[in-house]
Amino acid sequence: MGSSGAGELNSPAAAEDAQLREHTLASEQVYLGHFLDVRRDQVRLPDGATATREYIVHPGAVMIVPLLDDGRLVVERQWRYPLARAMVEFPAGKIDAGEAPLQCGIRELAEETGYRAAEWARAGILHNAIAYSNEGIEVWFARGLTLGDRHLDAGEFLEVGSATLDELNDQVRRGELTDAKTLVGLLWLQHWRAGHWPLEWRSVP
Amino acid sequence: MGSSGAGELNSPAAAEDAQLREHTLASEQVYLGHFLDVRRDQVRLPDGATATREYIVHPGAVMIVPLLDDGRLVVERQWRYPLARAMVEFPAGKIDAGEAPLQCGIRELAEETGYRAAEWARAGILHNAIAYSNEGIEVWFARGLTLGDRHLDAGEFLEVGSATLDELNDQVRRGELTDAKTLVGLLWLQHWRAGHWPLEWRSVP
């Protein structure tokens, strides 16, 4: 297969993807813990061969980019055990069973930071570990923030602060801010502020 | 704990993080497959309580942002089984045991796309699933590209194409390009082209 343009790569003709598609032959749950649900599937490859695919089944999550009235952003600092360090990130959390993404965003923002937002806008979704997880993280913007009480989950410890976009960009450049979802939030923020990627705001009572 | 500035959130005084840090009490491998290595640890929380942490141990990966001489970017389209669809992304792959990230980048770019690059520059690292994986993806830029043969791994199927930054940004805005590492590559590309985030290029023979 040769080189082709990006248009071709996204053409309707490519939607079938017979030349790429993997078909499920069998699926097995190989681990179910408190948090992780691990599957191992047997698949048929485009050339008819078989292969194994292992992946996490995840309920999805919502990240909030919280815009303070003075232009600063609300950020958190939280211990991330797999990386053995605290990380700066935008508020985020897993979607509960049956919960709409916006409701999840409202709940997580309040629980983790104490902020409520008058207006919300959905920017998009990101997929953060496409090789081994079906997790999607919805990216929502929130503005018209007012501070109330926060209610962390039991066993949840995090610091809340604020920063300007320039400060966060500097942290990225220096290698101090490396959380992928937060970096994607900065990408959206940059393009929204530049007027390139519009947001549709909705009021939340 | 109150609100604090981002400077505070990254201050040397915060480096100890006693108020956030989780200490390992016990660690167990609960699943080891062809690809996934899953651990379940018992940890002591800052308040002395205990909790369970489940996570993937990952060797790390390298993503390449390949710059063609005409300003276009090399992108791939690949079936991502956990999401049951093909996705547009920058070339990337796992680091082999003992392999330096730059060597991994050179190898993956050649294997997946057939391109060799005269110059390479490391932009940074991203952590894509900080709640449940220790994976870090190094972000490298490559330029001075020449096309040779590619050598896909057995069972690897992908299409290679190219796109402008504007085309890729449009795909993000429309919700068609959602791979987090690729979005972070676009963030770096944007800031590098704007002169904000310089890259140190090195020649590779």
Side-chain angles (χ1 to χ4, degrees), chain B residues 103-143:
Chain B
Q103 292 311 311
C104 173
I106 293 170
R107 178 179 56 75
E108 289 286 351
L109 182 64
E111 285 177 1
E112 295 192 348
T113 72
Y115 280 104
R116 276 75 177 169
E119 288 186 290
W120 290 77
R122 182 184 184 279
I125 192 168
L126 64 92
H127 295 99
N128 58 314
I130 62 179
Y132 60 86
S133 174
N134 72 349
E135 180 175 9
I137 304 179
E138 292 223 355
V139 181
W140 285 77
F141 279 58
R143 69 182 179 188

Side-chain angles (χ1 to χ4, degrees), chain A residues 42-93:
Chain A
Q42 299 301 317
V43 305
R44 192 178 71 241
L45 301 176
D47 65 357
T50 59
T52 301
R53 296 284 178 259
E54 295 170 332
Y55 59 101
I56 306 292
V57 173
H58 191 283
V62 173
M63 175 180 73
I64 306 105
V65 180
L67 310 168
L68 293 165
D69 288 345
D70 65 0
R72 298 175 69 85
L73 293 310
V74 178
V75 290
E76 303 177 349
R77 206 158 156 282
Q78 188 174 359
W79 191 261
R80 291 305 194 168
Y81 184 78
L83 297 161
R85 62 176 178 274
M87 302 187 79
V88 173
E89 50 189 294
F90 285 130

Side-chain angles (χ1 to χ4, degrees), chain A residues 4 6 9 17 19 24 31 34-36 41 54 77 81 85 127-128 132-133 135 159 161-162 178 180, chain B residues 4 6 9-10 17 19 24 31 34-36 41 54 77 81 85 127-128 132-133 135 159 161-162 178 180:
Chain A
S4 61
L9 286 188
D17 291 320
Q19 75 289 3
T24 306
Y31 177 73
H34 293 81
F35 178 82
L36 288 183
D41 289 10
E54 295 170 332
R77 206 158 156 282
Y81 184 78
R85 62 176 178 274
H127 295 100
N128 58 315
Y132 60 87
S133 174
E135 179 174 9
E159 296 176 334
S162 67
T178 62
Chain B
S4 62
L9 286 188
N10 275 292
D17 290 319
Q19 75 289 4
T24 307
Y31 178 72
H34 293 84
F35 177 83
L36 289 183
D41 289 12
E54 294 170 330
R77 206 156 156 284
Y81 184 78
R85 63 176 177 272
H127 295 99
N128 58 314
Y132 60 86
S133 174
E135 180 175 9
E159 296 175 334
S162 67
T178 62

Side-chain angles (χ1 to χ4, degrees), chain A residues 152-172:
Chain A
L152 293 177
D153 288 341
E156 197 171 30
F157 298 85
L158 57 85
E159 296 176 334
V160 179
S162 67
T164 66
L165 176 56
D166 284 349
E167 287 168 347
L168 294 176
N169 278 336
D170 281 347
Q171 290 182 21
V172 179

